[in-house]
Amino acid sequence: MEVLLEEAAAGSLRAVEARAGETLLDALRRAGAPVEAPCGGQGTCGKCAVDVLRAGGWERVLACQEPVADGLRVRTVQAAGQLLVEDDAPGAEGMLGRFARDEARPGELGMAVDLGTTTIAGYLFDLETGALLARGGQANPQAPFGADVISRIRACGSGQLGALQQVAAGCIRDLGARLAARAGVDSARIGRWAVAGNTVMQHILCGLSPESIGAYPFAPQTLFGDARAVEGLDECVELCPCVSGYVGGDITAGILAAGIDADVALDGAAPAGGARTVLFADLGTNGEMALASGGELLCCATATGPAFEGANISQGMQAREGAISACRFEDGAFSIEVVGGAAPVGICGSGLIDALAACLEAGLVDETGRLLPPDELPAERAHLVELRDGKPVALLTPDGAVALTQKDVRALQLAKAAVAAGIATLLEAAGADAAQVDEFCIAGAFGAHMRPEAAAAIGLFPAALLPKVRMAGNCAGAGACAALLSTQARERMAALGRDARYIELSLDEGFSEAYVDAMEFEGAAS
């Protein structure tokens, strides 16, 4: 059985294998088609929309709810993942002075990879000289299996592990080939790979089921920190060491890249950075945090959900053309910035934080997170909200083309409370408070574009940390580069993984109390 796939960006048809009894989403997943499914195919997010050709013309349906039929013609409505230049992602150049570079064969290439849940970034190096030849990234093609690691764990449990592994390895291999072509070199010369990803992503890449991470006691099959054979890649891959099931190799890589390892007593040695207290947060589809205090490294992870990446938001999208990326409340109206200067069609993570902060400033959202209807607002604010199906929505554009719903506000409220409570729990465990933090390092693709003032305004982190903020960019990618180039860097990262103390927030009573407290929006108009 076959369906005929017409991708929006390609304009050509290709036959896709389909199996009796499965959904269209199942078939499109195997084909690597650009279809988002943040809910993992549960039919709740509405983002796996495709067009199918009926007798009366094209009809838009949800791929996860549409059964396959032989000869069915399907047209995707999302652009295929393009190679993106990661201008804000640092390379390993700044760390090479700290760690000796490994020897390499003449002409040998190496590829470092940040295997993110949402985005995969790659860095191609000449290993002989240590020169960065090309870097770039694309959307993670595992998105049709779900936007977050919980959805992908669930997909693995339903027999999709092999498909997820093939998609990830294939993307990394193809990304290496495309970067090599950009640099004008032969991808066959890639003889070394290093990958930094969260624990679930690294399990899937290696063909290991992450199902045990999805249930108490959240135990991974391995914490990595070694070289492994990966199906679909020709050479062994260095996997960055993890701390726990939810604090992965991307965090140890990020801590190293941010230089926070200098503030930690590793293998019994005194911290080289002295007695600084440094908070690290990698914010994205997962919220992982670490605190260096008194020479000890404490780590935790919070279940933020995919809201910060625009998933499970009514008009959420990745930061591509047409996405609102910034929003302010000025002169009684919303002022927005849109990626590419195009007409706004949705909103990405950084825009969502801004929009919520703007709604709080305008008094459209009260301290409990309730979006007020027009009749409860002052006359000069009522035009910013309208009722749709009897429920209020905040109009981010004058024509209402992009709006924020009550459900959107609640999703952001839950995510920000999880992060804020995680920070509070780490500080409590270290016997410290926000005023004692010397530096607050914010990392991750989402964190790189987030406006700290807006994040503090919605209570994502304490206002006392705002003057201490350092936006660190894609630390995981930089750490992966160091792991590719230096055995010393890998050993330092392994020490971080061994010596870190992990706090399981689901068992911490203090976290539960802090979470409830963090649900409120302080300073909101009442």
Side-chain angles (χ1 to χ4, degrees):
M1 183 184 298
E2 293 180 339
V3 297
L4 299 176
L5 173 63
E6 177 185 334
E7 292 183 352
S12 59
L13 288 175
R14 65 176 165 122
V16 171
E17 176 196 358
R19 300 167 185 168
E22 70 177 358
T23 67
L24 194 50
L25 178 61
D26 294 328
L28 294 177
R29 279 171 168 170
R30 287 198 307 277
V35 179
E36 295 180 16
C39 70
Q42 303 299 304
T44 57
C45 70
K47 300 247 175 115
C48 64
V50 296
D51 293 334
V52 298
L53 188 60
R54 312 284 198 201
W58 290 101
E59 176 185 342
R60 187 149 297 179
V61 301
L62 294 182
C64 70
Q65 303 299 305
E66 182 74 14
V68 295
D70 193 28
L72 181 68
R73 184 163 173 172
V74 184
R75 183 172 64 192
T76 61
V77 296
Q78 300 164 8
Q82 300 296 309
L83 188 66
L84 308 173
V85 176
E86 301 269 335
D87 289 329
D88 61 340
E93 295 91 337
M95 288 184 290
L96 293 183
R98 296 176 57 199
F99 305 109
R101 182 162 49 84
D102 295 342
E103 294 183 358
R105 300 187 305 272
E108 185 180 12
L109 304 179
M111 181 81 167
V113 178
D114 173 16
L115 180 58
T117 311
T118 304
T119 304
I120 298 178
Y123 306 84
L124 182 68
F125 281 86
D126 182 323
L127 295 181
E128 183 183 10
T129 65
L132 176 63
L133 302 179
R135 63 186 182 188
Q138 68 175 72
N140 188 327
Q142 293 175 331
F145 296 86
D148 55 28
V149 295
I150 300 302
S151 298
R152 295 186 196 168
I153 290 172
R154 189 182 302 121
C156 290
S158 64
Q160 300 289 334
L161 173 60
L164 278 158
Q165 192 280 331
Q166 292 172 20
V167 165
C171 178
I172 291 172
R173 182 187 62 248
D174 294 346
L175 183 57
R178 294 162 76 184
L179 290 178
R182 173 184 286 179
V185 295
D186 184 358
S187 63
R189 289 165 49 195
I190 299 177
R192 194 184 305 168
W193 303 78
V195 172
N198 66 54
T199 316
V200 172
M201 290 295 99
Q202 292 191 178
H203 270 66
I204 291 173
L205 179 64
C206 294
L208 301 173
S209 174
E211 291 177 76
S212 61
I213 304 174
Y216 184 79
F218 317 114
Q221 292 196 45
T222 175
L223 292 175
F224 300 101
D226 54 7
R228 292 171 179 250
V230 171
E231 185 178 352
L233 297 177
D234 294 333
E235 306 290 338
C236 283
V237 179
E238 292 284 350
L239 279 303
C240 291
C242 304
V243 175
S244 70
Y246 288 105
V247 176
D250 51 347
I251 303 307
T252 56
I255 290 171
L256 184 84
I260 299 173
D261 60 300
D263 299 291
V264 183
L266 296 176
D267 294 332
R276 291 200 316 160
T277 298
V278 183
L279 180 64
F280 175 90
D282 189 316
L283 305 178
T285 50
N286 311 299
E288 295 109 334
M289 285 154 281
L291 179 70
S293 179
E296 185 180 19
L297 183 66
L298 295 87
C299 299
C300 71
T302 62
T304 60
F308 290 150
E309 301 286 355
N312 286 351
I313 299 295
S314 57
Q315 291 183 267
M317 60 186 293
Q318 293 182 16
R320 55 177 181 257
E321 186 170 313
I324 294 176
S325 58
C327 180
R328 308 282 197 282
F329 180 67
E330 299 172 340
D331 301 323
F334 293 121
S335 173
I336 63 172
E337 296 177 17
V338 182
V339 176
V345 296
I347 187 166
C348 64
S350 60
L352 283 164
I353 300 297
D354 268 9
L356 181 53
C359 286
L360 289 166
E361 183 181 351
L364 308 186
V365 173
D366 69 14
E367 69 277 1
T368 70
R370 178 171 168 259
L371 183 56
L372 304 178
D375 61 2
E376 294 186 31
L377 293 170
E380 66 273 18
R381 299 282 191 271
H383 70 285
L384 298 173
V385 178
E386 73 177 21
L387 297 179
R388 294 181 181 175
D389 296 325
K391 299 177 181 179
V393 299
L395 307 177
L396 303 182
T397 58
D399 61 0
V402 182
L404 202 66
T405 70
Q406 180 65 76
K407 183 179 177 182
D408 298 338
V409 172
R410 292 299 185 208
L412 287 167
Q413 188 175 14
L414 292 169
K416 76 96 178 180
V419 172
I423 291 173
T425 303
L426 281 182
L427 291 170
E428 176 68 22
D433 59 37
Q436 294 173 292
V437 173
D438 297 299
E439 182 178 76
F440 179 26
C441 180
I442 300 177
F446 164 70
H449 298 93
M450 177 185 74
R451 188 166 62 92
E453 293 80 5
I458 71 168
L460 186 70
F461 56 80
L465 293 177
L466 190 55
K468 323 290 186 59
V469 167
R470 171 165 68 99
M471 306 301 283
N474 184 9
C475 284
C481 293
L484 174 74
L485 295 165
S486 172
T487 298
Q488 285 187 352
R490 293 195 296 273
E491 290 174 347
R492 186 76 171 170
M493 213 178 294
L496 284 168
R498 285 194 306 269
D499 291 358
R501 176 157 68 95
Y502 176 67
I503 298 174
E504 178 50 63
L505 296 182
S506 65
L507 303 178
D508 192 291
E509 292 184 4
F511 172 77
S512 299
E513 295 173 3
Y515 182 78
V516 172
D517 292 341
M519 286 291 289
E520 294 285 310
F521 291 108
E522 294 185 10
S526 57

